[in-house]
Amino acid sequence: MLEIRYFAGARAAAGCSSERIAAESLDDLATVLAERHGERLALVLKAASFLVDGLSCHDRQAALPAGATVDVLPPFAGG
């Protein structure tokens, strides 16, 4: 199981700040989360950045370690 933590717009789209999900990769995770929370979160996930155990992960097909914490960070405005 993975600990998923949502921030900013991802939190609003998911309707919660965190949850536990089983997934093999970020692509798999995005599919599971979109099925669970709907199109609004699916759109956020397409543009989101992900931290896996605090490290940026750009390979959405890479295997996720069991028990990892995945932070979902939507694009932020500002400068």
Side-chain angles (χ1 to χ4, degrees):
M1 293 295 280
L2 305 167
E3 177 73 20
I4 312 304
R5 300 188 306 186
Y6 301 102
F7 295 88
R11 179 182 291 173
C16 60
S17 61
S18 67
E19 63 185 316
R20 295 183 57 77
I21 300 285
E24 299 294 321
S25 68
L26 291 176
D27 277 344
D28 184 37
L29 178 64
T31 299
V32 170
L33 294 176
E35 289 172 356
R36 180 177 283 199
H37 296 287
E39 186 63 24
R40 185 173 173 208
L41 183 58
L43 290 172
V44 171
L45 294 173
K46 287 180 184 178
S49 297
F50 298 90
L51 299 180
V52 178
D53 288 335
L55 300 173
S56 182
C57 183
H58 300 286
D59 182 357
R60 291 185 177 222
Q61 296 179 355
L64 294 170
T69 297
V70 178
D71 295 328
V72 180
L73 306 170
F76 292 94

